């Protein structure tokens, strides 16, 4: 009966996973159908091909975020264990 509800009132998609800033995965709260953001910005059915693409995009995005954090705060990560300066100065 859940698909009957969606056929009458339409899907109610909620974000189920953030891949990048612009790409997200959505799931209908009624019938559990899954969608993702396409390359043009619209919604596309989440197929195994798009699941693989999203996982690769997520991995690249996370690596880029880590690299940007290391670039912006290099002293924190390089000398974190050997930093003997007093913290009360």
């Amino acid at each position: 009966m859940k698909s009957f509800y969606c056929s009458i009132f339409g899907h109610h998609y909620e974000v189920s996973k953030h891949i990048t800033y612009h790409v997200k995965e959505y799931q209908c709260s009624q019938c559990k159908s899954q969608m993702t953001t396409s390359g043009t910005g619209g919604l596309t059915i989440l197929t195994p091909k798009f699941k693989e693409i999203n996982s690769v995009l997520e991995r690249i995005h996370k690596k880029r975020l880590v690299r940007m954090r290391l670039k912006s705060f290099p002293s924190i990560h390089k000398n974190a264990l050997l930093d003997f300066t007093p913290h009360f100065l």
Side-chain angles (χ1 to χ4, degrees):
M1 294 307 283
K2 291 181 183 179
S3 61
F4 180 71
Y5 177 86
C6 290
S7 65
I8 293 176
F9 297 108
H11 294 284
H12 185 265
Y13 289 113
E14 297 174 347
V15 176
S16 61
K17 190 174 185 181
H18 292 272
I19 306 299
T20 65
Y21 297 126
H22 302 291
V23 178
K24 297 172 181 64
E25 290 181 1
Y26 301 93
Q27 186 172 11
C28 179
S29 62
Q30 299 296 322
C31 67
K32 307 299 183 201
S33 67
Q34 295 179 331
M35 304 289 273
T36 187
T37 310
S38 67
T40 59
L43 291 179
T44 306
I45 296 173
L46 188 62
T47 60
K49 180 180 177 180
F50 280 113
K51 282 185 180 185
E52 184 179 354
I53 290 170
N54 285 350
S55 68
V56 171
L57 276 174
E58 184 178 23
R59 188 178 74 233
I60 291 170
H61 182 68
K62 285 183 179 181
K63 282 184 179 181
R64 182 174 291 163
L65 288 178
V66 169
R67 190 171 59 231
M68 294 301 291
R69 286 186 192 132
L70 288 175
K71 188 183 273 188
S72 62
F73 299 109
S75 63
I76 292 174
H77 298 286
K78 288 182 181 177
N79 300 325
L81 295 175
L82 300 176
D83 189 13
F84 296 113
T85 59
H87 297 287
F88 54 86
L89 292 177

